Amino acid sequence: MENFQYILPEVFISITIMLFLLIGVFKKSSSNLIYNLSTISLIILLALIINLSSLDKIYLFNSSYLIDNLSNYMKIILVGSGVFVMLTGSKYIQVINLNKIEYPILILSSILGMMIMISSNDLIVFYMGLELQSLALYVLASFNRDNLLSTESGLKYFVLSALSSGLLLYGCSLTYGFSESTNFDQILINSTEFNYGTTFGIVFILVGLAFKISAVPFHMWAPDVYQGSPTSVTLFFAILPKIAALSVFIKFLYTPFANMNDQWQTIIVFISIASMIFGAVAAIGQKNLKRLIAYSSISHMGYALAGLATISNQGIQSSITYISIYLVMNLAFFSCLFMLKRNDKYYENIEDLSGLSKKHPILSFSLLIVLFSLAGIPPLAGFFAKFYVFLAVIEQSMYFLAIVGLLATVVAAFYYLRIIKIIYFDPEKDEYETSHNLGLKITLAISTIFILAYFIYPSSITEIVSKITMI
Amino acid sequence: MNFPILSSLILLPTIGALFILFTKSSSGKYQSAKYVALFISLANFLLSLYLWYIFDKNSIDFQFVENREWLSGFINYKVGIDGISILFIILTAFITPICIISVNATITNRLKDFLIAILIMETFMIGVFCSLDLVVFYLFFEAGLIPMFLIIGIWGGDRRVYSAFKFFLYTLLGSVLMLVAIISIYWITGTTDVERLYELGIQSEYQNLLWLAFFSSFAVKTPMWPVHTWLPDAHVEAPTAGSVLLAAILLKMAGYGFIRFSLGLFPIASENFTMLVYILSLIAIIYTSLVALMQEDMKKLIAYSSVAHMGFVTLGIFTMTQQGIEGSIFQMISHGLVSAALFLSVGVVYDRHHTRLINKYGGLVSIMPRYAIVFMVFTLGALGLPGTTGFIGEFLILMGAFEKNILVAMIASLGVILGAAYMLWLFKRVVFGEITNQDLNRMKDLKSFEIVILTVLAIPILFFGFYPEPLMNSIEASVENALNMYNFDLINNLASKD
């Protein structure tokens, strides 16, 4: 039991989940209570993880579980954004009648699964975490049972995700078969020589992971699921699984498969380029904001993966920086989306933003900042995210990737500009409600100020991230 | 470390913009916002004049340098000026208050936002001319797109959306390649500090590609033929103050970039591509002058004339002669004043008559005599009549060109004639002739604030036209130094080849 202190966060959250389930069963109409308690428990969880963050590298449970700088940082941003997701969505789920006890509990279990994924150092532990988070997400996607789109998105996500899990599992078994171990470090030691079995294993595992991160060509589920799910779940989808999947990506590529980098580098470069271009082009014709942000996130994942393709610490760090800034931009964007409410109905089409700037100057200004930042225009945070990635990419002389990526930003700029045009240049429509809950306002304020003022002290994230070294 | 005067110049307008954010308006006329904006921009102008006063004209080093750790320790926030940049800073600080005064008549809705956008724009523009680090330069250079996009899009004319998009996407497309080049320079040399890069030099094998990447950005921004098509659209649709900022300052960023970065960092490549720039400049001069002749819209005509004038500027820069480069800088300052004045003049009649079509006007001289006089001054300035700043710039550029390539110089001289043709014809059609359109009779002559801004613009055009010495003094030493470094690099390169 001497290792207990290191997995305290995971133990804490598991016990919390069970406890909340019991409360939910035995106490009538306790959904609000559990929602608030979950938010608080996430904050405590965050504190527990930060408490451990001074640890450098600790192997647990027969080295199948690893706590290091990477896992600590990723867990911090994971749980941190989880807190904000809870804060922003609280009003929303009440308004559209989703405030059931299962909702926060599913979110917590999904976060637990992601934490296990992030810390795993073994194929079996990894798969366990992955399935825990996926199962919770299937239910969350279809949580709005009376809504046709929501049900459809849940089913779609379930079928496609099960397929990808199958591929992933097949890849794992191939890898195990040819490297005689499920432990990441052991796989690395045993796979010094090239063999087709492990190569196929890599391909299948990468396909499964690319599905989770919604990278092209495994992105088909994303637009439908983003659009169909309740907006608070979409926000969850847009951020947390991406963080978990990206850190697993880093882990797989740079621990068990580090010797095979000539095998996977082309795959990652291809996925990255395809995602950047497809995400940019496909978003142009979208009318629904959630669908648009799905394509936008596909393209953003392309940039995050571009950093991973470099096989350098700088590249890994740039990817992590990218996802950190990406999650803030998404939080800000969805906070704005939650504010488009009138008579207990939420609006999510681009046309609904028409002329927003006349009646809601502050909300429009936040959207303006977020959209320009998503487009990567300096001096906003989104520019620095891309800057770090391209800094790493060009260091490795991967000019093709850099130029394609930057040209894709120009294409992507078009659809962000289109939204800004609708907000600022078009004639105005009806007013939206202006009273919002405090959590939403705070989230929007913090994230917008972060994006706007990032350039004053741009080393803030890089300094923390620079501790993460994989090579 | 003394008082950070350059950072103050950069930040002051932004602080002013924050103030405006909190001003209240009782009657919806935003008087207080206007006064704050005017006060801040005038203060900035005075500060820039003070900067000019304490600026050491004989020094070839960068002055007032500030160097602060910024991006993870490897890229610094570094600003500083020399003779090449000082005049552009003063020009920016001079034009901004004029824009702010001019909004009196033109902007009616969301005035507060407009003033904020203009002040933020000033921050970015001054930042471009001050920055001594490539990344900082890129940051300011690109950031200017945001306020300009909004200025064109919110307060523009009928096709404002199309124009704003075109402006934004064209410029962004050109600039992303520059970003690749900047990052490459960082990995090749280990720094993006311009001063250090001047010392280190960049290996000749990289120069051509890097030069082209920078060129793609500057050529769009200049704008050079054939990527100039965004400019007429942006000019025509932008509100008067937006056109003024675009023509007077935004276009100068690229000319400045050519001198500071293309020539300074890639001398060998600049020498290789001289002919390309000559040809594109000549096409710009001749072709766009002819296009300008045929325009029916006053603003469009002036926009095309801007392209032609910027053609002279790029031509002059790439003659790599003392006269050519000094002439180019002078021409940019002159064009900044003259084009600003011309757009304001068009704005004056547009506000009264709400059309920019030339054939709707005629015979204004008898209705608006005072307007006719100032408009004439600016017309003559634009066509480069001796005694105006336009003449000195063009004359020096042509002198430099004759030294290098007589054929190029002769073709460029044709542009001067064409320039006279389209400007005089415009003047004739608008100001002279019969009053065909009876509605014109209702137009009133210049209001007091219009007289103020137009006179304020006319004074330097005439003064420096007769007495260019103060401007020339400031740029001479730095241009000479830049050319010496340039020739030194070229000789070194030749020596290393042998």
Side-chain angles (χ1 to χ4, degrees):
Chain A
M1 283 301 279
E2 79 256 39
N3 289 337
F4 181 74
Q5 46 170 323
Y6 302 126
I7 53 155
L8 190 61
E10 282 86 347
V11 172
F12 167 77
I13 198 72
S14 317
I15 292 172
T16 321
I17 291 169
M18 291 178 230
L19 194 69
F20 288 170
L21 264 177
L22 288 178
I23 298 175
V25 172
F26 287 109
K27 194 173 178 307
K28 288 272 183 300
S29 63
S30 56
S31 49
N32 270 333
L33 176 73
I34 289 185
Y35 194 94
N36 295 335
L37 280 177
S38 307
T39 315
I40 293 167
S41 65
L42 276 178
I43 295 171
I44 298 171
L45 180 64
L46 186 62
L48 288 174
I49 298 170
I50 291 173
N51 187 30
L52 285 178
S53 63
S54 55
L55 297 174
D56 193 31
K57 200 163 199 177
I58 300 224
Y59 288 96
L60 300 169
F61 306 117
N62 206 5
S63 63
S64 64
Y65 207 74
L66 172 65
I67 292 171
D68 58 358
N69 285 326
L70 172 72
S71 72
N72 277 325
Y73 180 78
M74 287 309 219
K75 280 181 195 167
I76 289 172
I77 59 171
L78 179 87
V79 178
S81 42
V83 173
F84 282 110
V85 169
M86 296 294 275
L87 283 177
T88 49
S90 62
K91 186 78 193 266
Y92 176 83
I93 60 159
Q94 278 172 21
V95 170
I96 63 164
N97 271 330
L98 291 185
N99 201 6
K100 308 195 173 70
I101 55 154
E102 294 92 341
Y103 180 85
I105 290 171
L106 282 169
I107 283 189
L108 289 187
S109 359
S110 172
I111 288 177
L112 172 65
M114 290 172 196
M115 286 169 65
I116 293 171
M117 269 168 85
I118 290 173
S119 268
S120 63
N121 197 38
D122 188 286
L123 289 173
I124 296 169
V125 177
F126 155 71
Y127 191 74
M128 208 172 71
L130 181 81
E131 281 309 287
L132 177 55
Q133 68 114 16
S134 299
L135 279 171
L137 288 179
Y138 303 146
V139 187
L140 279 174
S142 52
F143 208 73
N144 196 358
R145 278 174 306 181
D146 305 332
N147 185 319
L148 202 63
L149 279 177
S150 180
T151 333
E152 183 205 328
S153 82
L155 187 66
K156 205 166 209 168
Y157 186 52
F158 174 68
V159 172
L160 288 171
S161 191
L163 179 70
S164 87
S165 291
L167 288 174
L168 191 85
L169 212 49
Y170 186 49
C172 290
S173 66
L174 273 174
T175 310
Y176 169 67
F178 282 86
S179 62
E180 298 160 13
S181 175
T182 55
N183 184 285
F184 287 176
D185 299 296
Q186 204 59 43
I187 295 173
L188 175 68
I189 295 166
N190 294 351
S191 65
T192 45
E193 280 168 41
F194 169 80
N195 64 56
Y196 280 109
T198 330
T199 310
F200 272 98
I202 292 176
V203 173
F204 281 119
I205 290 175
L206 288 186
V207 167
L209 290 178
F211 179 90
K212 302 289 174 204
I213 211 167
S214 76
V216 176
F218 310 103
H219 63 280
M220 292 80 78
W221 59 276
D224 293 329
V225 173
Y226 272 57
Q227 187 183 2
S229 310
T231 311
S232 55
V233 178
T234 313
L235 170 59
F236 191 82
F237 266 117
I239 300 177
L240 282 87
K242 306 262 149 101
I243 298 173
L246 188 80
S247 57
V248 171
F249 246 114
I250 296 171
K251 227 168 203 163
F252 265 104
L253 296 181
Y254 292 96
T255 313
F257 301 143
N259 288 331
M260 323 272 284
N261 52 31
D262 49 337
Q263 308 286 323
W264 54 255
Q265 193 179 23
T266 17
I267 303 178
I268 300 291
V269 170
F270 169 76
I271 293 180
S272 162
I273 288 180
S275 306
M276 292 189 285
I277 295 177
F278 182 83
V281 174
I284 290 174
Q286 300 307 320
K287 292 192 173 64
N288 183 294
L289 279 169
K290 279 155 79 180
R291 218 176 160 79
L292 183 131
I293 212 73
Y295 284 108
S296 138
S297 77
I298 290 172
S299 133
H300 281 289
M301 284 308 117
Y303 293 99
L305 287 176
L308 294 190
T310 58
I311 320 188
S312 65
N313 275 324
Q314 174 112 30
I316 298 168
Q317 288 159 9
S318 74
S319 285
I320 297 170
T321 314
Y322 196 96
I323 196 118
S324 314
I325 293 174
Y326 162 84
L327 77 87
V328 180
M329 296 192 292
N330 264 297
L331 269 178
F333 184 84
F334 277 90
S335 305
C336 294
L337 218 52
F338 284 129
M339 291 188 172
L340 300 180
K341 186 176 74 131
R342 193 191 302 137
N343 301 333
D344 284 350
K345 188 174 178 310
Y346 285 88
Y347 291 80
E348 52 190 45
N349 282 328
I350 296 183
E351 265 60 47
D352 298 327
L353 291 170
S354 179
L356 189 73
S357 65
K358 298 214 176 85
K359 292 273 171 60
H360 305 275
I362 298 172
L363 176 59
S364 318
F365 181 73
S366 307
L367 264 173
L368 176 84
I369 296 294
V370 176
L371 290 167
F372 272 123
S373 176
L374 283 167
I377 307 296
L380 305 169
F383 166 74
F384 288 96
K386 291 205 167 76
F387 180 76
Y388 291 129
V389 168
F390 289 116
L391 204 61
V393 168
I394 293 176
E395 186 191 13
Q396 304 300 320
S397 303
M398 299 160 88
Y399 290 104
F400 181 68
L401 182 58
I403 291 173
V404 170
L406 282 166
L407 292 181
T409 61
V410 180
V411 179
F414 176 77
Y415 64 80
Y416 295 121
L417 287 184
R418 193 165 69 99
I419 308 178
I420 293 166
K421 172 221 147 200
I422 287 166
I423 298 173
Y424 274 88
F425 309 167
D426 281 4
E428 60 188 297
K429 284 192 174 169
D430 292 344
E431 222 170 323
Y432 290 100
E433 283 172 23
T434 47
S435 61
H436 306 289
N437 57 324
L438 192 65
L440 189 57
K441 282 183 191 164
I442 290 175
T443 313
L444 183 58
I446 291 178
S447 47
T448 312
I449 289 170
F450 175 87
I451 294 168
L452 194 57
Y454 185 79
F455 75 95
I456 295 171
Y457 188 58
S459 315
S460 51
I461 291 181
T462 24
E463 265 167 22
I464 308 168
V465 169
S466 64
K467 274 190 286 185
I468 301 170
T469 50
M470 298 296 292
I471 299 168
Chain B
M1 196 85 187
N2 298 325
F3 175 67
I5 185 163
L6 289 178
S7 293
S8 321
L9 269 172
I10 295 173
L11 281 179
L12 195 59
T14 305
I15 295 168
L18 285 178
F19 264 111
I20 292 176
L21 204 59
F22 296 112
T23 54
K24 284 248 162 58
S25 149
S26 48
S27 57
K29 285 176 109 180
Y30 298 111
Q31 281 304 332
S32 50
K34 248 185 263 177
Y35 287 128
V36 172
L38 190 60
F39 173 74
I40 290 283
S41 58
L42 279 178
N44 223 27
F45 176 54
L46 290 179
L47 194 61
S48 74
L49 283 183
Y50 174 69
L51 180 76
W52 197 19
Y53 174 69
I54 56 174
F55 175 79
D56 179 4
K57 297 178 174 60
N58 300 316
S59 163
I60 55 168
D61 294 325
F62 287 104
Q63 302 175 35
F64 314 107
V65 174
E66 293 165 39
N67 202 347
R68 290 200 180 84
E69 201 166 283
W70 181 54
L71 208 106
S72 338
F74 65 89
I75 289 164
N76 286 357
Y77 166 78
K78 188 172 181 186
V79 290
I81 53 166
D82 66 352
I84 297 170
S85 39
I86 175 105
L87 292 183
F88 292 109
I89 294 170
I90 299 167
L91 180 72
T92 312
F94 176 65
I95 294 291
T96 313
I98 289 177
C99 286
I100 288 169
I101 300 173
S102 80
V103 301
N104 250 343
T106 45
I107 307 294
T108 46
N109 66 328
R110 293 205 243 178
L111 182 65
K112 201 164 126 178
D113 304 351
F114 189 77
L115 294 170
I116 293 173
I118 287 204
L119 286 177
I120 298 277
M121 196 70 212
E122 186 182 9
T123 287
F124 294 144
M125 290 185 299
I126 293 180
V128 164
F129 295 123
C130 291
S131 41
L132 283 186
D133 187 286
L134 290 173
V135 177
V136 180
F137 170 79
Y138 183 82
L139 208 75
F140 283 125
F141 192 77
E142 282 291 277
L145 290 181
I146 300 176
M148 204 61 215
F149 175 77
L150 295 175
I151 287 175
I152 298 174
I154 300 179
W155 295 279
D158 300 332
R159 289 171 71 235
R160 61 211 160 104
V161 174
Y162 170 79
S163 308
F165 272 64
K166 199 169 178 182
F167 162 75
F168 195 99
L169 294 175
Y170 256 71
T171 326
L172 187 65
L173 187 62
S175 301
V176 289
L177 291 177
M178 182 162 80
L179 183 62
V180 176
I182 290 173
I183 297 175
S184 309
I185 289 175
Y186 176 73
W187 290 118
I188 292 168
T189 61
T191 181
T192 51
D193 180 338
V194 175
E195 234 178 330
R196 285 278 296 143
L197 285 170
Y198 281 167
E199 286 165 27
L200 290 170
I202 294 167
Q203 288 105 303
S204 50
E205 68 258 37
Y206 300 117
Q207 285 202 5
N208 283 349
L209 279 175
L210 293 176
W211 188 92
L212 282 173
F214 273 76
F215 181 73
S216 73
S217 170
F218 295 149
V220 172
K221 201 90 171 184
T222 308
M224 294 178 84
W225 185 87
V227 281
H228 66 282
T229 55
W230 64 268
L231 184 78
D233 284 313
H235 267 322
V236 170
E237 298 307 325
T240 306
S243 302
V244 170
L245 280 186
L246 254 177
I249 300 152
L250 255 71
L251 305 188
K252 309 302 177 289
M253 290 177 178
Y256 168 78
F258 274 128
I259 303 176
R260 173 75 82 226
F261 302 112
S262 297
L263 256 57
L265 298 178
F266 323 116
I268 301 156
S270 301
E271 195 71 19
N272 292 343
F273 289 110
T274 304
M275 215 52 217
L276 172 75
V277 178
Y278 282 172
I279 293 170
L280 292 182
S281 306
L282 288 181
I283 295 176
I285 294 170
I286 303 295
Y287 168 74
T288 51
S289 296
L290 289 172
V291 175
L293 264 176
M294 289 292 103
Q295 292 308 311
E296 288 166 353
D297 182 312
M298 288 200 256
K299 262 188 158 179
K300 224 167 189 166
L301 190 150
I302 299 167
Y304 277 109
S305 86
S306 289
V307 181
H309 279 123
M310 292 312 285
F312 275 106
V313 170
T314 45
L315 179 68
I317 292 169
F318 280 84
T319 59
M320 327 285 185
T321 55
Q322 178 91 20
Q323 296 88 341
I325 296 178
E326 279 181 20
S328 293
I329 297 176
F330 203 90
Q331 170 82 343
M332 282 194 264
I333 302 294
S334 155
H335 179 253
L337 297 169
V338 172
S339 64
L342 284 172
F343 278 118
L344 286 168
S345 308
V346 174
V348 166
V349 287
Y350 179 77
D351 291 338
R352 289 166 172 70
H353 200 49
H354 297 289
T355 178
R356 289 182 301 257
L357 292 179
I358 297 171
N359 58 17
K360 299 271 188 215
Y361 293 96
L364 285 184
V365 67
S366 51
I367 311 163
M368 306 170 72
R370 273 182 278 180
Y371 175 75
I373 292 171
V374 283
F375 193 40
M376 185 187 69
V377 172
F378 302 136
T379 309
L380 297 178
L383 61 85
L385 188 84
T388 62
T389 46
F391 169 72
I392 295 167
E394 279 176 6
F395 179 73
L396 284 172
I397 290 169
L398 289 175
M399 233 163 86
F402 267 111
E403 201 177 316
K404 276 288 159 92
N405 192 329
I406 292 181
L407 185 67
V408 168
M410 283 170 70
I411 300 174
S413 308
L414 286 178
V416 182
I417 302 170
L418 286 172
Y422 62 71
M423 284 317 295
L424 286 177
W425 198 29
L426 167 74
F427 188 71
K428 186 225 143 205
R429 283 181 290 173
V430 173
V431 175
F432 293 141
E434 295 283 301
I435 304 176
T436 47
N437 190 341
Q438 289 309 319
D439 294 342
L440 289 176
N441 281 322
R442 279 189 275 118
M443 287 170 70
K444 295 215 167 59
D445 208 349
L446 295 179
K447 291 176 201 148
S448 54
F449 82 92
E450 289 164 341
I451 294 178
V452 169
I453 51 178
L454 291 176
T455 324
V456 163
L457 278 166
I459 289 169
I461 293 174
L462 292 172
F463 178 78
F464 293 120
F466 281 108
Y467 185 60
E469 212 45 37
L471 300 186
M472 285 303 184
N473 262 342
S474 314
I475 48 185
E476 203 160 3
S478 295
V479 170
E480 202 178 327
N481 176 47
L483 269 177
N484 283 342
M485 281 199 315
Y486 177 82
N487 290 325
F488 181 75
D489 281 350
L490 281 188
I491 293 164
N492 264 359
N493 181 49
L494 281 180
S496 65
K497 267 186 188 162
D498 295 335

